[in-house]
Amino acid sequence: MSLELVLITGMSGSGKTVALHALEDAGYYCVDNLPPELLGAFARLEHREHANRVALAIDVRSAAALPLVPRQLEELRTEGVKVQTLFLDASTETLVRRFSETRRRHPLSKEELRDGRQALVQSIGLERELLAELREQSLVIDTSTLRNAQLLAYVKKLMALPPGRLTLVFQSFAFKRGIPMDADYIFDVRMLPNPYYDPQLRPLTGRDAPVADFLRQQPEVASMQADITGFLQHWLAPLAHNHRSYVTVGLGCTGGQHRSVYLVERLAEHFAGDWTTLKRHRELDGS
């Protein structure tokens, strides 16, 4: 049986430990803070010892050796290892708040946290630069608005999907709460007719039949759905050919409750026959 390797990396304070716990719960053999120099050798050793599902966490504490990782991952793929990389991210403001709340010191910081916010922001900026290449090759999960339980559930859903096939992640969100950092494509649907202004539809969501019926009858909604569908149908095959494992499509409206939710449901339904699909509703999941 071929080896399944999940590499977890990302920003300090973004929830990598929580994600690793989710993989451990899912049956992966997990190792935290593995030196990048040992990645290939460790994966091969564990496979020989009959561990077919391995998860490793590597972060900026191994900054000097991080440039080795992309090449090592490519070598493992050529050997038949099914490699997935997850990059956990969060807004700088969120990371600053988390470090302030826990009183932890950033691994790149040369000053104590009490010496000021500016030093912490600079450390976070440097960390983003050091991890940029790994981020580019990974499925990015924006944890800025996620609670630990939501992150656990999402990672477990990802690991339940069949490996080695491009997965489409459709995500609804509210622009008023910020654009998700993990989206490869963003579509703004705020110009569409809004069910919010109907008192009977206002408390419902795009998953409810009355809202879906209302939006289905709007020509602008049908046109937007057709345009997004056409764009994705044109580009998904080239993305898959380029060895992309995940493509995240964000659809945003004002509150992330009606229009974006409806379109995520419809698009996921449409593409489910050809690609592995996953739905996320940022403002509704876990609420």
Side-chain angles (χ1 to χ4, degrees):
M1 183 180 294
S2 61
L3 174 66
E4 293 180 25
L5 172 67
V6 179
L7 175 65
I8 297 177
T9 186
M11 301 297 293
S12 301
S14 61
K16 296 188 297 297
T17 300
V18 175
L20 201 63
H21 287 163
L23 290 166
E24 194 169 35
D25 291 344
Y28 284 77
Y29 178 71
C30 299
V31 177
D32 193 10
N33 195 27
L34 181 80
E37 300 94 329
L38 302 180
L39 195 158
F42 179 83
R44 297 179 186 100
L45 174 63
E46 289 305 314
H47 195 207
R48 286 199 299 270
E49 297 297 323
H50 310 296
N52 295 317
R53 306 175 84 197
V54 175
L56 308 173
I58 292 176
D59 58 36
V60 79
R61 287 174 289 181
S62 304
L66 283 175
L68 301 173
V69 175
R71 178 175 54 82
Q72 289 179 315
L73 293 178
E74 190 55 38
E75 288 176 357
L76 289 171
R77 289 189 178 98
T78 61
E79 296 172 16
V81 178
K82 297 176 181 177
V83 178
Q84 299 182 70
T85 55
L86 305 182
F87 188 102
L88 273 63
D89 206 346
S91 67
T92 297
E93 190 63 36
T94 299
L95 295 174
V96 168
R97 174 175 53 79
R98 290 175 181 172
F99 274 100
S100 300
E101 289 173 350
T102 61
R103 304 297 300 171
R104 289 172 52 208
R105 183 173 176 173
H106 192 280
L108 296 180
S109 177
K110 298 179 181 179
E111 304 177 43
E112 295 298 330
L113 189 60
R114 64 175 177 269
D115 288 339
R117 169 192 168 92
Q118 189 59 36
L120 178 56
V121 171
Q122 290 175 352
S123 296
I124 292 171
L126 175 58
E127 184 177 25
R128 291 197 189 283
E129 293 179 17
L130 292 171
L131 294 173
E133 186 175 1
L134 276 176
R135 189 185 194 280
E136 182 68 23
Q137 301 178 12
S138 305
L139 169 67
V140 180
I141 303 176
D142 181 3
T143 69
S144 301
T145 63
L146 294 181
R147 297 189 299 274
N148 285 349
Q150 292 174 290
L151 178 56
L152 276 168
Y154 182 44
V155 172
K156 288 179 181 179
K157 280 185 181 179
L158 286 172
M159 294 305 103
L161 298 174
R165 187 183 183 199
L166 184 140
T167 295
L168 266 175
V169 181
F170 290 102
Q171 177 178 199
S172 67
F173 68 93
F175 271 98
K176 66 182 182 182
R177 295 189 65 197
I179 296 175
M181 300 175 65
D182 50 7
D184 297 294
Y185 301 102
I186 292 285
F187 294 96
D188 184 350
V189 301
R190 287 175 291 184
M191 73 292 291
L192 300 179
N194 194 350
Y196 177 85
Y197 295 109
D198 185 328
Q200 293 183 321
L201 301 180
R202 183 175 300 173
L204 304 178
T205 78
R207 293 183 292 197
D208 294 314
V211 173
D213 290 341
F214 169 84
L215 291 171
R216 195 177 292 112
Q217 295 170 18
Q218 311 302 317
E220 304 96 319
V221 175
S223 180
M224 176 68 77
Q225 182 177 336
D227 286 345
I228 297 173
T229 298
F231 174 83
L232 293 175
Q233 285 178 333
H234 181 81
W235 290 109
L236 283 177
L239 284 167
H241 184 70
N242 197 40
H243 306 295
R244 287 290 295 274
S245 298
Y246 299 93
V247 174
T248 301
V249 181
L251 293 99
C253 59
T254 305
Q257 179 180 340
H258 297 110
R259 296 164 290 181
S260 60
V261 171
Y262 169 79
L263 283 169
V264 161
E265 294 289 330
R266 300 288 77 76
L267 290 166
E269 181 181 55
H270 175 86
F271 284 97
D274 298 316
W275 307 94
T276 302
T277 60
L278 185 64
K279 298 179 292 186
R280 293 181 65 194
H281 298 297
R282 192 181 74 178
E283 320 308 344
L284 303 183
D285 291 345
S287 60

